[in-house]
Amino acid sequence: MRSPSPDLAAASSPRSVLFVRLVSGILVAVGATVFLAWLLDVGWIKSVVTGTSTMKANTAVLFVLAGLALGLSRTKRERRAVSGLATVVVVVAAGTLAEYALGDFGLDQLLVVDRAPVPLTAAPGRMGINTAVSF
């Protein structure tokens, strides 16, 4: 029989709880902003420096989901929600890695189609391999 997990909010210091809230909020805000930029096709918001590679739409969505999971992870009550969000993040990242290994499934174009005039890669909307591995 497994012992019950402790309530992280009760075991954490106020500073660490504040840090988790801050990081969670930043992840959600950045991800939501970049995804909205993809929906509205606002190029300068999609990348940190103009002319460099962009954060892809699916990466932005995973930032939002990871931020929500982090924010909810503070309490034992939200364990199912955190597990579900984390599972979606891992499945999408693994699917992206599978696309690099096996070929295009169209996963990277499900939410938003990357209409870059001159694609820099064979899969212009695909999350970077280093990002997928990090997730």
Side-chain angles (χ1 to χ4, degrees), residues 34-41 46 54-57 112-114:
V34 172
F35 186 68
L36 186 61
W38 275 99
L39 293 177
L40 300 175
D41 197 25
K46 296 178 199 175
T54 59
M55 178 190 286
K56 304 305 180 194
V112 179
V113 176
D114 189 351

Side-chain angles (χ1 to χ4, degrees), residues 29-61 63 109 111-117 120 124-128 131:
V30 168
T33 301
V34 172
F35 186 68
L36 186 61
W38 275 99
L39 293 177
L40 300 175
D41 197 25
V42 181
W44 64 272
I45 297 177
K46 296 178 199 175
S47 65
V48 177
V49 178
T50 305
T52 62
S53 61
T54 59
M55 178 190 286
K56 304 305 180 194
N58 53 359
T59 304
V61 171
F63 263 52
Q109 302 287 321
L111 299 175
V112 179
V113 176
D114 189 351
R115 301 186 198 291
L120 301 175
R126 187 170 301 158
M127 175 189 320
T131 306

Side-chain angles (χ1 to χ4, degrees), residues 94-126:
T96 300
L97 292 173
E99 282 189 316
Y100 277 107
L102 304 172
D104 192 14
F105 309 140
L107 178 64
D108 47 338
Q109 302 287 321
L110 282 177
L111 299 175
V112 179
V113 176
D114 189 351
R115 301 186 198 291
V118 178
L120 301 175
T121 66
R126 187 170 301 158

Side-chain angles (χ1 to χ4, degrees), residues 12-26 74:
S12 301
S13 72
R15 290 178 74 182
S16 64
V17 170
L18 179 63
F19 179 74
V20 168
R21 285 183 180 165
L22 178 67
V23 172
S24 172
I26 290 170
R74 292 181 32 253

